[in-house]
Amino acid sequence: MSHVLAAVAWPYANGPRHIGHVSGFGVPSDVFSRFMRMSGHDVLMVSGTDEHGTPIQVQADAEGVTPRELADRYNRVIVEDLHGLGLSYDLFTRTTTRNHYAVVQELFTGLHENGYIIAKTTLGAKSPSTGRTLPDRYIEGTCPICGYTGARGDQCDNCGNQLDPEQLIDPRSKINGETPEFVETEHFFLDLPAFAEALGKWLDTRDDWRPNVLKFSRNLLEDLQPRAITRDLEWGVPIPLDDWRDRNDKRIYVWFDAVIGYLSASIEWARRSGEPDAWRKWWQDSDALGYYFMGKDNIVFHSVIWPGLLLGYSGEGDKGGKPGSLGALNLPTEVVSSEYLTMEGRKFSSSRKVVIYVRDFLERYDADALRYFIAAAGPESNDTDFTWAEFVRRNNDELVAGWGNLVNRCVSMAAKNFGAIPEPGELTDEDRAVLDTARAGFASVGALLGKHRQKAAIGEAMRVVAEANKYLSDQAPWKLKDEASKPRMGTILHVALQVISDCNTLLTPFLPHSAQKVHELLGGTGVHAPMPSIVEVEDLDGGPAYPVLTGDYTVGATWESVPIKTGISLAAPKPVFKKLDPSVIEEELERLGS
Ligand SMILES: [Zn+2]
């Protein structure tokens, strides 16, 4: 039994999240964490909203609110969405807590003391009218290489070349159209090349990662450059150095602060648990495991930059040094990255309305219907398309007809004929075979889940469900109604209900809401699949209050076959899943913009 950190990507709080976001990291990390807890591991699943940076500042300006007000609004929306999906965070917090500021500043200080943070003078674009820095992506102009007039300050989408904003011909602000001024400005950089050797040695030990992630990460090491970790901005974590900490125009760059969130959230969780040092078991024990979940656009931060930062803080880069005051910190065990989800063949786009937000989805459909689609057909290792037709088909053919009907038929037949879980008589070979198949599922589904092969894992669980359906139609217990054959009917239903109970456990990490219902239909009481709660908390260090997601996940089912209890009374069941009318496909397609 190990301490397992599930470090989940931090959603950016500039708007509601759509189902593409949660299919990449949210649901897969929850499936993994639930499985690991059921298998007896001590899981710490943490994340929060990422709330600093220019996009939030720019959007707040446009709406005439403060960045904090904007972040407050979307922090709450995102917390409620993740709650609706049943994502079992031990702590889902935010980057505007005082605890987070202190941990970010501690890592900055440790890296600085070890010599891994270097100062450099660069050219920065400023808005002449507001005096504010214009980030690269908010500058547009003509590409100096191909002449494309819509090139951005960071790259030309026409020829694909990387650019610096001062190279653009006729540069202009995307915010208000004015011509930016370029001025010299001093910034701090993380000395990434100083970690190249240590990172290379570490990646050589990571041979069980998904091959695309490993190859991509190794390639990044070929050309590591120092990376800016401060920005000309008012909204963010202050720079913890003399002559800098009181400046209002320089802040720590949002990416640097956000990756440190995994650690600060773990520390916040420990402080809230009443054991302020408890986080160390996940970050410093040599046998602790750390899994990081994200979309593929974030691999670089988790397989190279964050490990570099951890090495530097621990004093393990080329320049040596000693661990900062928190002590040396563990590197990730695995970076679990997913690919992209598209929507009806197109990229998700809020501006073009090619989108469905989590909130809207959950108003019309059940969370487990989406969780099932993501597990069975999500972007685990390939870019994948979400179509409403496929969503409805999988819901109706697989969840409702395959699994829900099996539960419904067996429970209602047992309720009607016995009023309880019937007693089994002597078992036939067929009875024993289907029981063995279900029990074997714990090893086969578990092995796949442990290797982050969730698509194959749910396929394997549904194969067991199909075997159970076949057993039921072969045995046809509904034909055995006369008094003489009723004992055999009882045996078949007993076997079928045991297999259903096992299948329900196998499906619990994927479908926690319906697993709880099936547990209760089988006469079970208490918590089978624990759920997160939204709790309003005070900031631990005197900042404003905020909502967090948290829960007690030490209760619930374990990953094993548990014998059902003969004689437990059963009632006529309500359907576990909702069958969808095919007309919703047309309705949803009409909602999509073109
Ligand atoms: Zn170009």
Side-chain angles (χ1 to χ4, degrees), residues 143 146 156 159:
C143 174
C146 74
C156 172
C159 67

Side-chain angles (χ1 to χ4, degrees), residues 553-589:
Y553 311 114
T554 58
V555 291
T558 51
W559 192 254
E560 62 190 337
S561 171
V562 176
I564 53 172
K565 291 196 185 91
T566 301
I568 286 200
S569 59
L570 297 178
K574 290 199 191 86
V576 181
F577 301 102
K578 283 191 213 120
K579 190 167 181 194
L580 297 172
D581 191 289
S583 66
V584 305
I585 300 170
E586 214 43 50
E587 287 165 25
E588 293 293 351
L589 288 173

Side-chain angles (χ1 to χ4, degrees), residues 202 270 330 419 493 542 544:
W202 170 67
N330 290 350
L493 288 176

